[in-house]
Amino acid sequence: MQVNSEYYKIDDNHPQLLNKWKLASDNIDNNLLHEGLPQVIHYFNKMNIKEVEPTTQNINGNIYEEDLSVVIDELVNLNFKKINEGKERVVRKKQVFNCINNYKTNSQEIYNWLINNQNNSNSVYLLGYFNYNGIEINIDMQKAFELYQKAAELENDVAQFELANMYIDGEGTGLDYDKAFKIINKLAKKECPCAIVLLGYCYEKGIGTDINEQKAIELYQKGADLGSSSGINNLGCCYNNGIGTEVNMQKAFELYKKAAKLGNDFAQYNLALMYENGDGTENDMNEAIYWYEKSAEQGDPDAQNKLKFFKNK
């Protein structure tokens, strides 16, 4: 089983680790914990773009070809911002498409342009993103890995983050925890919330480093202070399960609720479960179902299964 993740979800009886960098339709091992993240827009340096095929005649009349480089940068910045806020992959993908639509263009035009303009780190990364997510091309993890690696070597922050996750999951490459830790440790020094939370996860689980739960909780707290809903959720899991601190169900409940209101689907599930079981709060099935529905709307399979279970009772 592949393990990834900075995000956690609790189960009725024990924590579980889930690989959430895959599409929502992927099969997920319900015996493991979840993964998620943070909230700072990172602006990347942009090189000059040459005008090559497709020409302006091939581009939607509402946008000139030279403007597409601006769209590429905005798409990359938007995706990284949402990663830092802790938005789940499926949600981020929808927001990317919304951004494309706002520019009166479409993913096919963007893809065509990317194929012919691989001369800066953002365009290299975004073509990798298209390969990873199967946008205008079949999913190709190996190609995505190669493109992320190339963009990461050009010091592209979001590519470095994605590359570290692929090393942790072994997607498009073999598992390499040492490389993942090295990359994410370097990125965390730039104060990227997503990297800080993932670094905390590495310390908690001993990925590329020795297990250090106290260091993990400190990093989760730092990510939370920077506005990461995933950092807040993971911190809640630490109090829920006594990771690097004493068990405090009321504190866990408060943190889950805060992250859930920020739209973190893992926290929404965790909060619903606490309402269902009466942990850290009074039992309230109406609230439980409400938050399961919120999580399910974002494609969370466990929340969807919970709702099916309640309907069949």
Side-chain angles (χ1 to χ4, degrees):
M1 172 65 191
Q2 299 169 332
V3 290
N4 173 344
S5 212
E6 327 84 86
Y7 304 117
Y8 286 92
K9 177 188 288 180
I10 55 175
D11 194 8
D12 296 37
N13 299 310
H14 55 80
Q16 59 175 330
L17 212 175
L18 290 177
N19 175 6
K20 290 293 289 182
W21 290 120
K22 294 190 172 186
L23 298 176
S25 60
D26 286 354
N27 291 324
I28 297 177
D29 186 341
N30 288 323
N31 292 319
L32 301 173
L33 270 177
H34 254 123
E35 162 221 331
L37 294 186
Q39 158 165 343
V40 170
I41 301 179
H42 182 84
Y43 292 95
F44 302 99
N45 292 325
K46 182 164 68 69
M47 298 169 59
N48 292 327
I49 306 297
K50 294 188 297 182
E51 190 169 352
V52 294
E53 292 295 329
T55 65
T56 51
Q57 283 78 19
N58 303 124
I59 301 300
N60 188 303
N62 292 301
I63 185 168
Y64 293 106
E65 182 177 356
E66 57 266 28
D67 294 333
L68 282 178
S69 63
V70 176
V71 178
I72 301 308
D73 289 344
E74 182 163 343
L75 291 173
V76 173
N77 292 334
L78 172 65
N79 188 48
F80 197 40
K81 177 179 182 288
K82 297 306 177 181
I83 288 174
N84 277 305
E85 290 175 353
K87 299 299 183 183
E88 198 269 334
R89 182 174 294 276
V90 173
V91 174
R92 288 188 279 116
K93 185 177 177 181
K94 289 179 180 178
Q95 291 171 330
V96 165
F97 274 107
N98 287 340
C99 182
I100 291 173
N101 291 334
N102 288 339
Y103 274 99
K104 310 290 186 191
T105 184
N106 57 61
S107 59
Q108 183 65 64
E109 288 176 350
I110 298 294
Y111 178 76
N112 290 341
W113 191 91
L114 289 171
I115 289 294
N116 292 284
N117 291 271
Q118 285 292 286
N119 48 8
N120 77 16
S121 70
N122 276 357
S123 61
V124 174
Y125 164 76
L126 195 61
L127 185 58
Y129 179 87
F130 274 44
N131 275 270
Y132 189 99
N133 290 283
I135 299 173
E136 302 301 337
I137 190 173
N138 292 332
I139 291 174
D140 189 335
M141 291 298 181
Q142 184 174 349
K143 184 65 174 178
F145 172 82
E146 292 170 357
L147 290 163
Y148 286 163
Q149 187 176 48
K150 182 179 178 181
E153 290 170 353
L154 295 172
E155 298 298 322
N156 188 295
D157 289 355
V158 65
Q160 291 175 353
F161 177 77
E162 301 273 30
L163 185 64
N165 273 284
M166 293 191 84
Y167 276 127
I168 291 174
D169 278 346
E171 292 180 324
T173 184
L175 292 171
D176 197 325
Y177 292 166
D178 290 339
K179 285 184 179 179
F181 181 82
K182 182 178 180 180
I183 292 169
I184 215 65
N185 189 44
K186 177 183 176 182
L187 188 57
K189 291 177 180 177
K190 295 184 179 182
E191 299 294 295
C192 295
C194 60
I196 290 169
V197 176
L198 181 54
L199 184 62
Y201 176 79
C202 289
Y203 275 110
E204 182 186 344
K205 298 299 178 182
I207 295 175
T209 187
D210 294 332
I211 291 177
N212 187 333
E213 292 184 349
Q214 187 59 47
K215 182 71 173 177
I217 197 171
E218 289 173 3
L219 288 164
Y220 291 152
Q221 182 66 66
K222 184 175 181 179
D225 291 342
L226 288 172
S228 163
S229 66
S230 296
I232 297 169
N233 174 65
N234 288 8
L235 196 59
C237 287
C238 288
Y239 282 105
N240 195 155
N241 302 302
I243 299 170
T245 186
E246 294 182 358
V247 172
N248 186 330
M249 301 301 280
Q250 185 174 355
K251 181 70 173 177
F253 171 80
E254 293 170 355
L255 288 163
Y256 290 149
K257 189 172 185 178
K258 182 177 180 180
K261 288 183 176 180
L262 290 173
N264 187 287
D265 71 314
F266 309 105
Q268 290 169 350
Y269 177 91
N270 291 339
L271 180 63
L273 194 56
M274 295 197 86
Y275 273 121
E276 180 184 353
N277 296 331
D279 293 330
T281 186
E282 293 182 2
N283 176 274
D284 190 328
M285 287 306 300
N286 289 331
E287 284 291 321
I289 291 173
Y290 172 81
W291 288 109
Y292 281 137
E293 287 176 342
K294 286 290 185 181
S295 183
E297 287 170 4
Q298 298 194 66
D300 188 285
D302 293 330
Q304 292 169 351
N305 288 336
K306 279 283 188 179
L307 292 175
K308 289 178 183 176
F309 173 77
F310 291 139
K311 288 179 180 178
N312 292 331
K313 284 185 67 175

